[in-house]
Amino acid sequence: MITLALSKGRIFDETLPLLKAAGIEVLEDPEKSRKLILPTSHPGVRVVLVRASDVPTYVQYGGADLGVTGLDTLIEHGSLGLYQPLDLQIARCRVSVAVRSDFDYTSAVRQGSRLKVATKYVGIAREFFAAKGVHVDLIKLYGSMELAPLTGLADAIVDLVSTGNTLKANQLVEVERIMDISSRLVVNQAALKLKQQPIRRIIDAFAGAIGKN
Ligand code: PRT
Ligand code: MG
């Protein structure tokens, strides 16, 4: 049995066409079913639904053989024990710095002010500001980062942006782009050795379908 870890929402939705290219159809809709293990049209393949941030953990420890995860999540988790054969080019976005539209970020940086930065991406943020030589106090949040500058919790946030509509709706402006993000296929290294043929077949089918949607 091959187990593929996916998270509900955009990653699940955007992985479906890749699975289809591999001749695999998921037989239940995760938005309608309460099941966490979904059968597929292929008797040897099943999908497990986990939190987006738990996908690398499942694959690292062998709870799943493969998974699809955002590069953001993968960087924060670390890639120990994970083989990363493919950039699937799905769920694209970027990691950016954003501030309140009335906050003068450029001056604050130029003056060497200490910045309070709220983020779920503590690792990415720490490395980015260290490389710029900007002193930051990082505040770890698990969601709704946009609220932090509006309530005075932080001067800036480091968060994912795709259309920019969420920032705009909250009077925030993007002041730096840190990195471009897309989702990656991750594979458990031991599983790749033990179940080489069926896993290779999935990797190859995904590879052939990238960018075709
Ligand atoms: O929601 P939950 O806490 O369960 O987990 P999650 O937020 O990690 O999962 P999910 O499914 O929301 O995101 C999974 C992956 O999708 C992320 O790790 C990214 O790699 C990728 N992705 C692509 C995005 C976005 N685009 C995105 N726009 N993830 C989140 N967003 C959010 C962003 O955080 C912000 O709140 O959408 C909002 C901004 O969108 P725009 O279009 O208004 O700019
Ligand atoms: Mg989310």
Side-chain angles (χ1 to χ4, degrees):
M1 177 66 77
I2 300 293
T3 303
L4 171 67
L6 297 176
S7 52
K8 274 203 232 180
R10 66 192 103 218
I11 290 194
F12 182 87
D13 298 344
E14 295 187 37
T15 301
L16 283 187
L18 299 170
L19 282 169
K20 207 168 174 192
I24 299 164
E25 236 158 306
V26 183
L27 298 177
E28 266 174 272
D29 178 353
E31 301 302 332
K32 290 185 187 138
S33 164
R34 288 173 183 271
K35 283 190 191 165
L36 298 174
I37 301 181
L38 306 179
T40 74
S41 57
H42 193 301
V45 180
R46 63 181 184 173
V47 168
V48 292
L49 296 174
V50 304
R51 277 294 286 266
S53 47
D54 290 335
V55 168
T57 308
Y58 266 82
V59 178
Q60 178 183 1
Y61 295 108
D65 301 304
L66 315 100
V68 177
T69 184
L71 179 61
D72 48 313
T73 307
L74 188 55
I75 291 174
E76 288 297 321
H77 177 271
S79 51
L80 193 72
L82 296 174
Y83 173 56
Q84 301 164 52
L86 296 175
D87 177 353
L88 300 173
Q89 294 174 31
I90 60 169
R92 286 170 166 284
C93 57
R94 54 194 185 268
V95 182
S96 292
V97 183
V99 298
R100 263 166 66 150
S101 48
D102 58 4
F103 181 80
D104 192 345
Y105 175 78
T106 314
S107 302
V109 167
R110 201 187 305 123
Q111 288 163 15
S113 314
R114 209 175 169 87
L115 285 181
K116 278 192 288 177
V117 179
T119 187
K120 180 168 153 184
Y121 302 104
V122 171
I124 293 173
R126 183 182 296 117
E127 185 161 332
F128 174 74
F129 287 110
K132 276 176 77 77
V134 175
H135 292 288
V136 291
D137 292 319
L138 294 171
I139 302 166
K140 167 85 183 185
L141 291 178
Y142 292 89
S144 303
M145 262 77 81
E146 296 86 1
L147 202 53
L150 305 178
T151 54
L153 179 68
D155 304 309
I157 59 172
V158 168
D159 195 8
L160 302 177
V161 180
S162 66
T163 61
N165 290 338
T166 304
L167 293 181
K168 207 176 292 168
N170 292 291
Q171 281 93 49
L172 300 176
V173 290
E174 188 176 4
V175 287
E176 300 214 58
R177 284 183 176 217
I178 300 181
M179 64 176 76
D180 288 327
I181 297 294
S182 54
S183 288
R184 309 300 157 113
L185 183 67
V186 288
V187 183
N188 177 281
Q189 284 176 349
L192 183 61
K193 286 189 195 128
L194 293 167
K195 310 178 190 177
Q196 189 158 21
Q197 241 185 5
I199 290 178
R200 275 282 162 214
R201 209 182 58 81
I202 293 173
I203 295 173
D204 292 345
F206 276 24
I210 288 169
K212 291 194 175 146
N213 275 279

